Amino acid sequence: MAMSKEQKDLALTILRRFKTKDLLPKDFGWNYIANEVSVNRTTLYRNEEIRENFALVKKIVAKHKKEARGLNQERIEKGELEHKIDILKEKVSSLEKQLARERERLTYATLAARKKGIDPLDFLDKTPLSSAITKKFSNE
């Protein structure tokens, strides 16, 4: 089966597009080009210019595939998880600082209450949660 000039030009254009990453490297092969040009693989292979360009582009596409492996989905997801972990670590750190500030405030409030002759435990006994707290600590 002979190939027309338009089909030959289309095959060369497809090879150039693979070379410049306009087409996905995973699609590269004789079958893809043959389907796009509407000829069989043997006809493509018999054309010396196409065969030489195919061999050259095959090496370039192999390099494209190696580069693409560096950014695979698994590594991207791992990076996202690490980012989420870092955000959560920052949040924990912030909450620990906030807890430390609240403990200082409570300590100061206790000291201020004692200076005025107020027992800070009186406040704990009168809260609605005092019975729950008492039960929790009495069972242990």
Side-chain angles (χ1 to χ4, degrees), residues 1-135:
M1 180 174 169
M3 211 172 22
S4 68
K5 181 172 177 10
E6 291 81 19
Q7 289 175 322
K8 180 180 173 184
D9 291 341
L10 180 59
L12 293 172
T13 302
I14 291 171
L15 287 170
R16 270 194 303 278
R17 290 185 65 200
F18 275 116
K19 186 176 177 180
T20 59
K21 289 187 183 179
D22 289 341
L23 295 173
L24 296 174
K26 68 179 182 92
D27 293 336
F28 182 75
W30 288 111
N31 289 333
Y32 180 86
I33 299 168
N35 288 338
E36 293 296 315
V37 178
S38 301
V39 296
N40 61 27
R41 293 179 350 182
T42 309
T43 304
L44 286 173
Y45 191 78
R46 286 182 185 159
N47 187 303
E48 188 176 340
E49 184 179 1
I50 292 174
R51 188 174 55 238
E52 289 174 358
N53 278 328
F54 184 90
L56 174 67
V57 173
K58 185 176 182 179
K59 292 176 185 176
I60 294 170
V61 168
K63 289 179 185 177
H64 294 328
K65 286 181 180 178
K66 285 181 184 176
E67 290 173 3
R69 274 187 243 142
L71 296 174
N72 64 11
Q73 188 64 27
E74 184 178 317
R75 290 183 68 185
I76 291 170
E77 289 173 2
K78 185 177 178 184
E80 289 173 355
L81 290 175
E82 289 174 359
H83 178 70
K84 288 178 184 178
I85 289 170
D86 290 342
I87 290 172
L88 290 174
K89 283 181 180 178
E90 290 174 10
K91 189 173 184 177
V92 166
S93 174
S94 171
L95 290 172
E96 285 175 345
K97 289 177 185 176
Q98 185 179 351
L99 178 62
R101 275 194 314 272
E102 295 302 321
R103 284 182 177 154
E104 288 177 15
R105 289 180 60 200
L106 182 61
T107 303
Y108 179 74
T110 303
L111 290 174
R114 286 187 192 222
K115 281 184 182 177
K116 296 197 179 207
I118 302 171
D119 185 16
L121 296 178
D122 287 344
F123 294 104
L124 181 64
D125 293 336
K126 295 177 184 173
T127 63
L129 296 176
S130 63
S131 61
I133 293 172
T134 307
K135 286 180 185 176

